[in-house]
């Protein structure tokens, strides 16, 4: 059973340090700076064990909500944890009056790209970088 509950910076940071795709996880100062207002932090548990997290905030002040950070520990992937976190974040954003969700990922994170496309996100911008796997991709989903 997957349980989603509000999280805190320390829990999210601890989880981010266990996600292999994150080369250099952010510290609490960066979380506090970005999440000064209009934010949500979610933690996922499988049973009693932490399994993933999702953090977003009102970055653009244009009606879109920015899904900034998130991840699922490798041992809990393909079990619905990411979908549960995303569903909760989208529902929260919808209730708060946001019209869309935006996020940025990198070309090297193919699983994330596929996950987003399956959830109805559309690519709105690509920023090419050499080497190509470092290129960033912006996606958006209307709520």
């Amino acid at each position: 059973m997957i349980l989603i509950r509000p999280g805190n910076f320390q829990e999210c940071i601890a989880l981010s340090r266990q996600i292999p795709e994150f080369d250099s996880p952010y510290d609490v100062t960066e979380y506090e700076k970005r999440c000064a207002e209009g934010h949500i932090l979610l933690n996922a548990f499988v049973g009693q064990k932490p399994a993933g997290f999702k953090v977003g905030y009102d970055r653009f002040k244009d009606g879109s909500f920015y899904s900034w950070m998130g991840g699922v520990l490798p041992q809990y992937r393909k079990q619905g944890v990411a979908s549960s976190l995303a569903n909760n974040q989208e529902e929260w954003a919808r209730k708060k009056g946001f019209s869309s969700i935006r996020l940025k990922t990198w070309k090297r994170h193919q699983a994330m790209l596929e996950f987003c496309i399956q959830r109805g996100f559309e690519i709105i911008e690509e920023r090419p970088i050499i080497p190509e796997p470092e290129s960033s991709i912006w996606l958006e989903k209307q709520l």
Side-chain angles (χ1 to χ4, degrees):
M1 181 175 132
I2 299 168
L3 170 69
I4 306 295
R5 69 162 176 78
N8 63 54
F9 296 142
Q10 296 303 333
E11 292 170 326
C12 294
I13 292 166
L15 282 163
S16 74
R17 291 184 176 145
Q18 299 174 60
I19 304 217
E21 290 84 359
F22 295 161
D23 300 329
S24 53
Y26 295 105
D27 64 15
V28 71
T29 306
E30 188 66 23
Y31 278 78
E32 289 171 345
K33 181 176 86 174
R34 290 182 184 245
C35 298
E37 59 184 72
H39 71 277
I40 185 171
L41 293 88
L42 297 171
N43 284 7
F45 295 83
V46 173
Q48 299 293 318
K49 300 189 187 239
F53 75 104
K54 197 152 188 66
V55 179
Y57 65 97
D58 187 6
R59 176 178 177 170
F60 301 106
K61 311 284 191 234
D62 65 357
S64 67
F65 187 75
Y66 181 53
S67 184
W68 172 49
M69 291 289 299
V72 175
L73 299 178
Q75 63 268 35
Y76 297 108
R77 294 179 183 173
K78 305 281 188 209
Q79 297 179 34
V81 175
S83 291
S84 294
L85 285 162
N87 289 342
N88 275 265
Q89 186 182 68
E90 289 173 17
E91 184 60 28
W92 179 89
R94 193 177 292 111
K95 286 179 180 175
K96 293 289 183 180
F98 291 96
S99 59
S100 66
I101 301 269
R102 284 189 202 159
L103 62 86
K104 177 177 77 171
T105 190
W106 285 263
K107 205 165 198 171
R108 71 179 183 262
H109 295 160
Q110 285 298 308
M112 180 64 174
L113 279 170
E114 291 171 17
F115 174 76
C116 291
I117 300 295
Q118 289 172 355
R119 291 191 59 81
F121 282 82
E122 295 180 4
I123 295 172
I124 57 171
E125 183 179 355
E126 293 187 49
R127 295 184 182 165
I129 297 175
I130 305 291
E132 188 178 7
E134 299 304 312
S135 297
S136 63
I137 299 173
W138 284 87
L139 300 108
E140 185 170 27
K141 175 182 180 177
Q142 298 303 312
L143 295 175

